[in-house]
Amino acid sequence: IFLLGVWLPAWIMAQTTPPTQGTTSPKPQNDRLQFRLVGYPRKHNEGRIEVFYKGEWGTICDDDFSLSNANVLCRQLGFVSATGWTHSAKYGKGLGKIWLDNVQCNGGEKSIELCKSRGWGNSDCTHDEDAGVICKDERLPGFVDSNVIDVDEDRVEEVRLRSVVPTKKMPVTEGVVEIKYKDGWAQICDVGWTPKNTRVICGMLGFPHERKVNKNFYKLNTERQKHQYRLHSVACVGTEVHLAACPLESNKGNATGSCEGGMPAVVSCVPGPQYVQNNGLKKKHTVRLKGGAKLGEGRVEVLKNNEWGTVCDDRWTLLSASVVCRELGFGSAKEALTGARMGEGMGPIHMNEVQCLGTEKSMWNCGFKNITSEDCQHLEDAAVRCNTPYMALENSVRIVGGRTYYEGRVEVQVGARWGTVCSASWTTKEAMVVCRQLGLGYSMHAITETWYWDSSNVTEMVMSGVKCTGSEMSLSHCQHHKTVSCQKTAAKFSAGVICSETASDLVLNAPLVQQSVYIEDRPLHMLYCAAEENCLSKSAASANWPYGHRRLLRFSSQIHNIGRADFRPKAGRHSWVWHACHGHYHSMDIFTHYDLLSSNGTKVAEGHKASFCLEDTECHEGISKRYECANFGEQGITVGCWDLYRHDIDCQWIDITDIKPGNYILQIVINPNFEVAESDFTNNAMKCNCKYDGHRIWLHNCHMGDAFSEEAERKFEKYPGQLNNQIS
């Protein structure tokens, strides 16, 4: 039997008696405050917090909300403490009253009632601002069970598709819908079942669409089996991201009812193109996800006027996020993330206050506002995590011997055998695929000697010549040798990885290059240091030193870290190289490539490979600098900071002495050898159209490698050059 599982939520309600405040008259004994966690998608110890007061359930607004408030509420729910809280209706919008607003607790109060607030029922919020809490999954000792009313004793916790036809093909797209019940599985009665219910189930299991199913085939198959029906009368509207959000009825107590005139609910789902083998169709989308570790998650970017831009997170909800997910071939949204949780974008912000109903085919069909720079900043970039089909990919790879769950020697399963991987040609790209396959985020380091992780009894090498693009879902999808061929087959030389939930993301400020470019004829007697550091083209070696000059194309580079982890050089301090000429240490051999290319892509100016000292030159407001080159300081670029190489520092140029007048492409590539892990390598190259008339230079269309649409990029490559120096 082949299964596809996804978690569904539970909800908890607790009641406590609030102590009386000061000299106020005590409340009647039957007027007890009650609390519950609701919403989706979530686990049993988290959710939208709702309070029962004066006979009515209501929510709490997120204004002034804090961890102290969450601690008080979690204790009232019977948990020991809070580990976090959420804003902007992360678990869905509540209905009815907003009971409390501007709540400010110290954290030690026995009841939320004793905290400062605007008073019961006094609020200027909407349900878009409903607060949620995440409690530590540990119950308060002595918290009497009768105080915790489990409203839904038959709560649905897990759902799966049971295929009745044995198959090894993944993902499972069709079968009987089953929900976890006690230690087994139960069915749903399909009387009154609609395609909208199927749409919700398929969305939860990672599929964008549903299709009709041959019920007669299943009727024959299921008639021979005994069934336990726990749910009936499911009535989804089709836009829910979760079965728990649909109206449904369960059989009370221990009863597993019959299903008069029906049979177990069966669904058939259509997988997205990424999950269909040999899918030749490549659909052009006007929306994409960037910076996520896994397929189906990332910062949302949309294409407008041939340029990609981000979406502001005001009013960003699971409904809008689900439209994005389904459009891209995934299921409904698991999370609608706000506050640049998948890193900040660069360039324009195209949309704000997106409001989808959930039925739209594309986000462009939803209501939204165009944006002005006052409305939003990249700190507010919206992101999503989509439901994706279960592929069982993590079962064919493992990492062993590490100090933590996130590191170790790589072992893969080939047929029935487990074995090691040859570390020749093992790079960040291959390591990225392993970390993604195991759901461990990004690769921080690709390790080529793993003798210090020698705890496994697996010694046979089963894979070699692995070459990945870095975007594959599994190591088996990468190129590799048909038969193992490796110089060093000993286990201590096999491949290893260190994974991390977060990574840096470097990106160049393209407009600054365009604004700062100029030509300088620099005398040779001022270029001895530069020659020593190989910053000049080869012909400089045969020049008549110190007489004459070199013609240099100069510009400023500003390199931003827009990721979620600091960018640190791969090499430790012990191997940094001292450059006496410039008086500082270089922590990376090759940090950038500077190249001038002809229109057909061949290099015409020998772009030198620049190595630099990495430091924080400036940071966004509220972020402090951590790295500086002076005094053998730590090197790196902090998240939210940038490293500026001004046009007037040594080697910040391309030597164009031997270049004839013409039209060219200027290309700058950061971290070209993928030495340091980044969440997104597609934005590491910057290109400009370049016209050189023998005396002056003009740059146009400077942009990041992934900033334009395919059509605009093709036009850029065919750029004929300026006919004059007038910029249209």
Side-chain angles (χ1 to χ4, degrees):
I1 290 172
F2 293 83
L3 309 173
L4 182 58
V6 68
W7 283 100
L8 271 173
W11 46 287
I12 285 173
M13 183 166 78
Q15 53 182 17
T16 57
T17 310
T20 54
Q21 290 186 50
T23 56
T24 53
S25 55
K27 291 190 169 186
Q29 273 303 291
N30 60 358
D31 193 10
R32 302 165 83 193
L33 282 187
Q34 295 179 356
F35 298 86
R36 68 182 181 187
L37 292 175
V38 289
Y40 50 88
R42 62 184 194 82
K43 297 178 186 141
H44 69 99
N45 55 322
E46 61 176 313
R48 182 173 68 248
I49 183 75
E50 294 197 348
V51 192
F52 191 71
Y53 176 73
K54 288 199 169 168
E56 195 176 342
W57 285 104
T59 62
I60 299 178
C61 181
D62 62 15
D63 292 349
D64 291 334
F65 209 84
S66 67
L67 194 60
S68 299
N69 296 1
N71 271 319
V72 172
L73 289 161
C74 284
R75 284 198 301 275
Q76 290 191 266
L77 286 159
F79 295 97
V80 291
S81 63
T83 58
W85 60 279
T86 65
H87 58 85
S88 309
K90 179 189 164 178
Y91 298 104
K93 291 191 271 193
L95 298 166
K97 294 271 192 197
I98 297 172
W99 274 128
L100 292 169
D101 186 10
N102 299 107
V103 180
Q104 291 175 299
C105 304
N106 297 320
E109 293 88 349
K110 289 277 188 292
S111 167
I112 198 76
E113 251 213 329
L114 301 177
C115 304
K116 284 184 197 164
S117 76
R118 291 181 127 189
W120 290 99
N122 183 4
S123 162
D124 60 358
C125 299
T126 66
H127 281 296
D128 285 322
E129 300 166 84
D130 284 345
V133 295
I134 304 149
C135 302
K136 188 174 180 186
D137 194 4
E138 188 182 327
R139 304 299 291 169
L140 275 172
F143 192 85
V144 185
D145 279 350
S146 61
N147 278 355
V148 180
I149 303 167
D150 208 338
V151 193
D152 184 4
E153 288 170 351
D154 316 310
R155 62 175 179 255
V156 181
E157 284 215 338
E158 205 177 334
V159 70
R160 72 179 187 182
L161 277 190
R162 178 169 59 83
S163 171
V164 298
V165 183
T167 173
K168 285 189 176 175
K169 211 169 119 190
M170 297 299 276
V172 174
T173 58
E174 182 173 304
V176 177
V177 182
E178 296 192 322
I179 55 168
K180 190 87 192 262
Y181 174 57
K182 294 187 175 170
D183 293 328
W185 295 87
Q187 291 73 42
I188 302 174
C189 178
D190 78 341
V191 173
W193 188 265
T194 68
K196 289 177 177 175
N197 296 347
T198 303
R199 180 177 167 81
V200 172
I201 296 286
C202 289
M204 288 173 54
L205 297 174
F207 303 112
H209 307 294
E210 69 287 348
R211 59 185 158 210
K212 273 184 102 169
V213 68
N214 179 356
K215 278 179 74 170
N216 293 333
F217 169 76
Y218 284 92
K219 202 162 195 172
L220 283 169
N221 190 285
T222 55
E223 271 172 357
R224 290 175 247 145
Q225 295 167 356
K226 192 168 177 271
H227 298 294
Q228 281 190 304
Y229 292 103
R230 288 297 295 164
L231 292 185
H232 60 90
S233 308
V234 178
C236 304
V237 296
T239 55
E240 297 90 346
V241 297
H242 225 271
L243 187 61
C246 300
L248 46 84
E249 290 177 35
S250 57
N251 297 311
K252 293 295 167 215
N254 286 332
T256 51
S258 60
C259 181
E260 293 294 323
M263 59 179 265
V266 175
V267 303
S268 182
C269 306
V270 181
Q274 311 87 314
Y275 300 96
V276 179
Q277 282 181 329
N278 307 322
N279 170 51
L281 292 170
K282 201 177 175 197
K283 194 179 169 194
K284 284 184 184 171
H285 290 290
T286 54
V287 60
R288 68 182 182 186
L289 302 181
K290 298 287 281 181
K294 301 187 196 75
L295 200 58
E297 66 173 40
R299 180 175 61 252
V300 179
E301 296 193 351
V302 289
L303 188 63
K304 183 179 175 185
N305 301 331
N306 281 328
E307 189 172 6
W308 289 98
T310 61
V311 175
C312 189
D313 64 11
D314 294 349
R315 292 179 178 246
W316 185 243
T317 64
L318 280 164
L319 282 176
S320 302
S322 289
V323 170
V324 170
C325 290
R326 287 185 189 263
E327 184 181 352
L328 291 172
F330 306 109
S332 47
K334 205 170 3 181
E335 285 185 85
L337 302 166
T338 57
R341 288 266 305 280
M342 290 284 177
E344 294 179 35
M346 292 280 278
I349 300 171
H350 284 325
M351 284 180 167
N352 187 20
E353 295 193 26
V354 178
Q355 288 182 289
C356 301
L357 301 171
T359 52
E360 297 87 349
K361 291 272 188 293
S362 164
M363 194 160 67
W364 289 104
N365 304 55
C366 303
F368 66 90
K369 282 187 179 172
N370 286 321
I371 177 104
T372 62
S373 54
E374 294 84 58
D375 291 337
C376 281
Q377 297 174 314
H378 282 298
L379 287 166
E380 300 166 83
D381 284 343
V384 296
R385 280 202 180 99
C386 305
N387 286 315
T388 55
Y390 177 64
M391 300 291 287
L393 295 172
E394 70 279 10
N395 299 338
S396 58
V397 67
R398 62 192 183 199
I399 53 177
V400 297
R403 297 159 298 180
T404 70
Y405 180 62
Y406 284 88
E407 66 178 34
R409 177 181 291 165
V410 177
E411 293 180 357
V412 293
Q413 189 176 25
V414 177
R417 296 174 306 155
W418 281 91
T420 58
V421 179
C422 180
S423 65
S425 78
W426 185 254
T427 69
T428 302
K429 286 185 173 182
E430 288 72 41
M432 280 282 184
V433 175
V434 171
C435 294
R436 179 181 301 117
Q437 195 174 345
L438 289 168
L440 297 177
Y442 311 93
S443 154
M444 288 306 289
H445 295 291
I447 310 293
T448 52
E449 282 190 25
T450 52
W451 48 268
Y452 41 83
W453 287 334
D454 205 3
S455 66
S456 171
N457 54 5
V458 172
T459 54
E460 186 188 1
M461 191 162 277
V462 295
M463 194 180 273
S464 65
V466 183
K467 196 170 184 189
C468 306
T469 63
S471 59
E472 293 88 349
M473 281 193 271
S474 159
L475 212 54
S476 61
H477 298 168
C478 302
Q479 291 178 0
H480 53 85
H481 293 155
K482 280 197 172 127
T483 53
V484 175
S485 164
C486 187
Q487 276 190 322
K488 296 177 176 178
T489 54
K492 65 181 180 183
F493 295 117
S494 59
V497 294
I498 299 176
C499 304
S500 168
E501 288 288 352
T502 56
S504 61
D505 186 14
L506 296 190
V507 65
L508 193 72
N509 182 342
L512 182 65
V513 175
Q514 190 165 316
Q515 291 156 18
S516 60
V517 69
Y518 64 96
I519 283 175
E520 181 193 6
D521 288 336
R522 194 162 180 82
L524 282 174
H525 67 82
M526 299 172 74
L527 289 170
Y528 281 105
C529 253
E532 191 184 301
E533 295 202 13
N534 298 318
C535 298
L536 303 174
S537 60
K538 279 187 186 137
S539 63
S542 54
N544 184 20
W545 290 77
Y547 308 106
H549 66 267
R550 304 299 292 177
R551 177 156 286 189
L552 307 175
L553 172 64
R554 306 198 72 149
F555 48 85
S556 295
S557 292
Q558 193 181 77
I559 296 165
H560 292 246
N561 182 358
I562 61 169
R564 290 183 291 150
D566 294 355
F567 183 93
R568 301 298 310 278
K570 186 178 176 182
R573 283 179 180 222
H574 61 280
S575 60
W576 293 358
V577 180
W578 173 253
H579 285 253
C581 260
H582 294 143
H584 57 229
Y585 284 91
H586 286 188
S587 57
M588 286 179 76
D589 278 346
I590 299 169
F591 178 55
T592 50
H593 281 183
Y594 292 160
D595 292 312
L596 200 63
L597 314 174
S598 66
S599 52
N600 67 6
T602 54
K603 290 183 188 178
V604 288
E606 284 168 15
H608 64 279
K609 297 164 178 58
S611 57
F612 288 118
C613 173
L614 303 173
E615 66 177 4
D616 295 329
T617 310
E618 291 291 336
C619 298
H620 287 306
E621 200 178 333
I623 297 172
S624 16
K625 299 179 188 178
R626 288 188 192 169
Y627 306 108
E628 62 174 344
C629 296
N631 306 319
F632 197 31
E634 286 289 352
Q635 292 193 22
I637 306 174
T638 306
V639 176
C641 299
W642 54 92
D643 193 358
L644 175 64
Y645 303 104
R646 280 173 50 103
H647 56 83
D648 53 3
I649 65 169
D650 246 14
C651 295
Q652 186 57 37
W653 63 56
I654 295 176
D655 183 349
I656 60 166
T657 309
D658 310 320
I659 300 299
K660 294 182 174 68
N663 296 313
Y664 300 99
I665 290 172
L666 168 67
Q667 180 175 280
I668 300 173
V669 185
I670 310 165
N671 191 18
N673 299 345
F674 313 110
E675 270 187 64
V676 178
E678 294 187 48
S679 56
D680 186 2
F681 288 117
T682 61
N683 57 13
N684 282 30
M686 188 223 67
K687 295 176 176 178
C688 304
N689 289 128
C690 174
K691 178 177 172 61
Y692 174 49
D693 67 1
H695 307 286
R696 291 162 300 177
I697 202 139
W698 293 272
L699 292 189
H700 306 284
N701 300 327
C702 287
H703 67 285
M704 299 313 306
D706 66 340
F708 284 5
S709 67
E710 284 179 31
E711 184 192 346
E713 194 61 41
R714 277 197 301 275
K715 275 188 188 164
F716 169 88
E717 300 289 356
K718 289 179 184 163
Y719 177 72
Q722 295 295 111
L723 302 175
N724 54 44
N725 64 359
Q726 301 297 309
I727 298 173
S728 57

